[in-house]
Amino acid sequence: GAGVSQTPSNKVTEKGKYVELRCDPISGHTALYWYRQSLGQGPEFLIYFQGTGAADDSGLPNDRFFAVRPEGSVSTLKIQRTERGDSAVYLCASSSGLAGGQQYFGPGTRLTVL
Amino acid sequence: AQKVTQAQTEISVVEKEDVTLDCVYETRDTTYYLFWYKQPPSGELVFLIRRNSFDEQNEISGRYSWNFQKSTSSFNFTITASQVVDSAVYFCALSEAIEYGNKLVFGAGTILRVKS
């Protein structure tokens, strides 16, 4: 079956612009996660959705970052007034939502802020 | 707070050598899960294994084996007879056991280079 998909695969933007990153999880997965991976580091948690609601957004770095999942499937990560420090690979994962459940990761979106 | 430490930044071996990747974790939870993921040059994270904190049995899967020791808070990963295709970044990760979902806390990763 289809895995987790993310679009776009690459996004180049200028400092100060607004960007949206999309994640399409595995069908039927109730849990959806966003992580950010900077060069040479492990992924860092940003936000987790259970269904339509954000169950844990403790990893969002500041109020320029926001994510939605209005119908409990596709999610969009939104970044306002982008800064050069936002450059990273943004990873999305989905799971069945059970404790300890395996997370299936998408290929990521590489964001470059010039 | 949860923390995962992978002290080995990079390891280089020659094909057919055995190699062990170290992982040390910190958590105050008594119930938790440990994971290993592989990130090949293509970039996509590939799940390798999951262990819960109550199961300390070592596991073997083909050339891969894992040694979980709660006494030393370690969850080490060994590749036997390494191959060039094993070259990748390997991440160890930890999650607490909550009712729904589980955010992962990752280590910084270990770059494994296997030379032919």
Side-chain angles (χ1 to χ4, degrees):
Chain A
V4 177
S5 62
Q6 293 186 245
T7 54
S9 55
N10 280 284
K11 176 70 177 179
V12 180
T13 190
E14 294 179 344
K15 181 180 174 222
K17 298 290 188 182
Y18 167 82
V19 297
E20 289 189 352
L21 312 179
R22 175 187 167 110
C23 172
D24 206 332
I26 291 173
S27 177
H29 278 184
T30 59
L32 185 147
Y33 308 81
W34 284 99
Y35 294 85
R36 178 167 73 174
Q37 186 175 20
S38 300
L39 193 62
Q41 298 182 21
E44 292 180 304
F45 170 77
L46 295 176
I47 186 170
Y48 150 57
F49 288 90
Q50 181 64 38
T52 60
D56 183 352
D57 64 358
S58 62
L60 294 177
N62 51 59
D63 61 6
R64 295 187 298 105
F65 288 75
F66 188 70
V68 295
R69 195 186 184 199
E71 298 178 359
S73 179
V74 171
S75 175
T76 304
L77 178 65
K78 308 180 181 193
I79 310 174
Q80 298 177 320
R81 304 183 305 280
T82 52
E83 300 178 355
R84 293 195 178 89
D86 298 335
S87 296
V89 176
Y90 289 81
L91 297 168
C92 176
S94 70
S95 78
S96 62
L98 297 176
Q102 178 185 341
Q103 292 185 24
Y104 296 81
F105 282 81
T109 293
R110 181 175 298 279
L111 175 66
T112 303
V113 182
L114 301 177
Chain B
Q2 299 179 319
K3 183 179 178 182
V4 175
T5 301
Q6 296 179 254
Q8 304 150 308
T9 304
E10 185 170 338
I11 301 175
S12 289
V13 298
V14 177
E15 211 170 15
K16 298 184 183 177
E17 283 186 23
D18 299 348
V19 58
T20 296
L21 310 181
D22 298 333
C23 173
V24 174
Y25 63 90
E26 296 175 29
T27 180
R28 288 176 293 189
D29 296 322
T30 55
T31 304
Y32 51 89
Y33 294 86
L34 295 164
F35 301 78
W36 275 95
Y37 281 85
K38 174 181 180 180
Q39 190 172 45
S42 62
E44 196 154 341
L45 282 163
V46 177
F47 168 82
L48 294 178
I49 190 171
R50 173 188 60 213
R51 305 297 284 176
N52 73 53
S53 53
F54 296 109
D55 184 0
E56 286 193 73
Q57 271 195 322
N58 291 332
E59 182 157 339
I60 298 174
S61 176
R63 295 184 298 106
Y64 295 171
S65 62
W66 291 268
N67 183 310
F68 175 29
Q69 293 196 347
K70 285 178 76 170
S71 60
T72 56
S73 297
S74 65
F75 185 44
N76 296 337
F77 172 32
T78 297
I79 302 175
T80 302
S82 59
Q83 299 176 1
V84 172
V85 293
D86 296 327
S87 297
V89 184
Y90 291 86
F91 292 99
C92 180
L94 167 71
S95 75
E96 60 184 3
I98 56 177
E99 186 176 358
Y100 293 106
N102 54 297
K103 68 180 182 185
L104 294 172
V105 175
F106 285 86
T110 297
I111 300 170
L112 175 64
R113 302 190 196 278
V114 182
K115 302 174 184 177
S116 59

